[in-house]
Amino acid sequence: MVESKTPIKSIEEVVNWINGNKSVLMIDCRYKLSEPDDGFDRYKSDHIKGALYIDLEKDLSDKVEKHGGRHPLPSIHSLERTMGRLGINDDTVVVAYDDEGGAFASRLWWVLTYLGHEHVYVLDEGYTKWKSSGYAVDDVIPTYTPTQFKANPQHEMLTTQEVVLTAVQQGNATILDSREEARYLGLVEPIDRIAGRIPGAEHAFWKGNLNEDGTWKSNKELSERFNMIDKKDSVIVYCGSGVTACPNVLALTSLGYKDVRLYAGSWSDWITYEGIPIETNKK
């Protein structure tokens, strides 16, 4: 099977893959931050035929501590166990999907790419479009033979609070905030205890990657959207807790940016450090 480099795949492309290659594994990433059981409930009701479910908090996040943010990354060993439980091996083509514009599917895409898996993609448009287009869905929860998933961590994809602070102080990287504009400006903060942004951060709300119909914008449109960032720059992407930053990482990757790092703890980690600099437009 020939795979193109863009990580965003249309429904038609994925259907052709499924019809032609049995190693394609669909993973349902649907989730609602305000209702942690909602995604799995929807999965149990119906899902893409053959899909397995992965949970943002139970599988793709670790226990919340003093530092690390609201969705800390699990250890490499823990992630290896999770991916092995799903039956993923080096040859498995993973297609992640959700029904939330790709936010949670992109988190899985980022995690697997960080672990060194070379065949992982995000389904364009999501589950509702798949179902309304008449493609196969059911309520059967499949089982796959567990594997020994061995990670090859791509450490350059991840960064820490210390590195971000150095970037603020020295200006040696472009910092990109992926949250809604009002949160970026520090005018409101509905989730975290302090409003504001990392000083000097550029802004690109992650949902701006999508067209009005929910499809991902073309690379030409995305290139115009991120034209404030030079492709030679080191880029650090953050959001509230390292989840909705992932669609922006994915978009930049699809455009050929080479040095794009996720600040996994993001704003919810940044504000846990005493004396940390904060910028805001609030008067």
Side-chain angles (χ1 to χ4, degrees):
M1 180 178 65
V2 177
E3 300 171 36
S4 57
K5 292 183 178 180
T6 176
I8 305 161
K9 295 299 172 186
S10 70
I11 289 174
E12 290 74 18
E13 284 180 288
V14 174
V15 168
N16 288 336
W17 283 4
I18 292 172
N19 290 338
N21 191 305
K22 293 182 180 180
S23 71
V24 176
L25 174 62
M26 305 297 293
I27 299 188
D28 191 315
C29 303
R30 286 177 287 175
Y31 197 80
K32 185 181 291 185
L33 290 171
S34 59
E35 299 177 41
D37 295 328
D38 173 77
F40 187 54
D41 288 342
R42 282 184 283 159
Y43 169 78
K44 288 187 294 184
S45 177
D46 55 40
H47 49 261
I48 293 176
K49 186 175 181 180
L52 292 174
Y53 184 76
I54 201 162
D55 188 283
L56 170 66
E57 294 196 350
K58 295 176 182 177
D59 300 315
L60 300 180
S61 304
D62 206 351
K63 180 182 177 182
V64 176
E65 304 283 359
K66 180 180 179 181
H67 301 300
R70 287 183 276 106
H71 293 104
L73 281 180
S75 68
I76 295 293
H77 183 59
S78 176
L79 289 169
E80 284 179 325
R81 290 199 306 269
T82 295
M83 303 311 162
R85 172 175 56 81
L86 296 171
I88 298 172
N89 59 40
D90 290 345
D91 298 322
T92 306
V93 176
V94 176
V95 179
Y97 72 89
D98 59 33
D99 226 8
E100 290 78 27
F104 305 113
S106 294
R107 169 81 167 206
L108 177 59
W109 167 84
W110 186 91
V111 166
L112 273 170
T113 304
Y114 169 65
L115 294 176
H117 191 69
E118 297 182 352
H119 313 291
V120 55
Y121 304 93
V122 170
L123 180 70
D124 198 1
E125 298 183 85
Y127 180 69
T128 294
K129 182 64 176 180
W130 175 284
K131 185 176 179 179
S132 66
S133 298
Y135 294 112
V137 303
D138 62 23
D139 61 357
V140 177
I141 299 178
T143 57
Y144 288 84
T145 303
T147 62
Q148 289 292 113
F149 183 93
K150 182 62 177 175
N152 178 26
Q154 308 297 298
H155 295 295
E156 71 279 2
M157 291 179 60
L158 182 64
T159 196
T160 64
Q161 180 269 342
E162 292 86 354
V163 173
V164 179
L165 181 58
T166 298
V168 170
Q169 295 168 338
Q170 298 183 3
N172 59 359
T174 297
I175 301 172
L176 183 66
D177 189 314
S178 308
R179 299 171 300 165
E180 300 94 328
E181 185 177 30
R183 293 180 71 192
Y184 165 76
L185 294 174
L187 303 179
V188 299
E189 183 45 67
I191 304 174
D192 295 307
R193 62 183 178 84
I194 298 174
R197 64 178 173 272
I198 296 175
E202 299 281 358
H203 178 248
F205 182 33
W206 73 271
K207 285 188 177 180
N209 297 325
L210 306 176
N211 296 305
E212 290 186 5
D213 64 358
T215 57
W216 279 76
K217 291 180 176 177
S218 68
N219 272 6
K220 180 181 179 181
E221 292 169 310
L222 290 175
S223 183
E224 293 172 355
R225 169 169 157 77
F226 293 105
N227 64 8
M228 73 287 199
I229 305 175
D230 193 295
K231 284 193 174 181
K232 297 178 182 178
D233 289 354
S234 295
V235 187
I236 295 170
V237 188
Y238 79 97
C239 57
S241 64
V243 178
T244 57
C246 293
N248 274 346
V249 176
L250 187 153
L252 291 167
T253 300
S254 74
L255 294 173
Y257 285 79
K258 301 299 183 183
D259 185 5
V260 183
R261 291 170 282 168
L262 175 69
Y263 175 22
S266 285
W267 182 251
S268 56
D269 174 63
W270 184 258
I271 60 175
T272 62
Y273 292 89
E274 187 175 350
I276 205 74
I278 291 172
E279 197 169 70
T280 178
N281 287 54
K282 191 170 184 178
K283 296 181 181 179

